[in-house]
Amino acid sequence: DGLLVGMQSGRYDIAMSGLGDTLARQQVMDFVDWYASGLQLTVAKGNPKKVTGLNTLCGLTLGAVRGSSQFHQVEAIAKDCGPKETPLVATETSPAGLLLIKTGRVDVFAVDSIAAGSYVKAAPEAEVVPGQYFPFVRGVAFAKSNTGLRDAWQAGLRAVIDSGEYDEILKRWGARDVAYKKATINGGTQ
């Protein structure tokens, strides 16, 4: 949320950090969409709580980055758990959440699926649970008043996609499954 506030106040020209292009956010900023990803679950190495998907989260301590789409999603899951207490922990960053897995303060930490693999490479005491949930488009955010920069960014992205370099970059980073080759402005529908 801090990136978005900074951009809206004029401190930043763009905000780029796995930002979900949502209808609510489109009311105050524009997005050039460049990938589609969802929530992925990270757990302690060996998966001691035997997490296999969203239906196995009730009763566990869940975490995610404060204000992120992943936090709102695990918050909704926890509310649906009924009488089974499912505590939530918010962090400022995903690496901080992975540290909470290491120390046992959270059982499951939800991250953006595009980054899950790199997070667990940096935190070998964690692992990714297979599966991606709630995918939607993500993009670079621009102030509504900055259409020139937004349009130039979109044109540059389209050129990278058309040249084939977009596919090469995603392949190099092991992220082919998040490809979104439309380079739309405000393509989010959620």
Side-chain angles (χ1 to χ4, degrees):
D1 284 345
L3 280 176
L4 302 178
V5 170
M7 193 210 48
Q8 287 178 294
S9 70
R11 184 173 181 190
Y12 311 123
D13 292 320
I14 66 169
M16 182 176 181
S17 178
L19 299 172
D21 177 357
T22 65
L23 295 174
R25 287 178 174 170
Q26 289 172 17
Q27 298 302 308
V28 294
M29 63 193 73
D30 286 332
F31 288 85
V32 174
D33 302 315
W34 70 278
Y35 76 100
S37 71
L39 171 147
Q40 197 147 29
L41 306 172
T42 57
V43 296
K45 192 72 155 183
N47 196 358
K49 300 291 183 174
K50 307 296 181 223
V51 175
T52 58
L54 301 179
N55 61 339
T56 60
L57 298 180
C58 291
L60 302 178
T61 301
L62 310 178
V65 172
R66 181 182 332 278
S68 68
S69 58
Q70 293 82 23
F71 186 82
H72 298 300
Q73 290 156 343
V74 294
E75 184 178 44
I77 290 166
K79 285 179 183 173
D80 287 341
C81 286
K84 205 170 197 180
E85 185 179 352
T86 305
L88 295 174
V89 177
T91 64
E92 296 305 315
T93 66
S94 291
L98 293 174
L99 181 61
L100 294 180
I101 286 176
K102 181 180 180 179
T103 61
R105 291 194 49 219
V106 299
D107 299 312
V108 179
F109 195 80
V111 297
D112 185 358
S113 64
I114 195 171
S118 63
Y119 287 143
V120 298
K121 278 184 185 175
E125 62 280 349
E127 68 181 63
V128 175
V129 175
Q132 182 181 169
Y133 308 95
F134 313 113
F136 61 96
V137 295
R138 297 175 185 275
V140 179
F142 299 85
K144 288 272 190 196
S145 60
N146 205 343
T147 57
L149 181 58
R150 179 203 68 199
D151 294 347
W153 192 282
Q154 182 188 35
L157 178 58
R158 282 189 174 146
V160 170
I161 291 169
D162 292 345
S163 74
E165 188 62 22
Y166 178 83
D167 290 326
E168 288 300 315
I169 292 167
L170 293 181
K171 179 182 175 184
R172 188 175 322 128
W173 289 97
R176 284 191 250 182
D177 60 335
V178 302
Y180 182 82
K181 297 183 183 185
K182 298 177 186 173
T184 54
I185 293 175
N186 296 332
T189 60
Q190 298 181 37

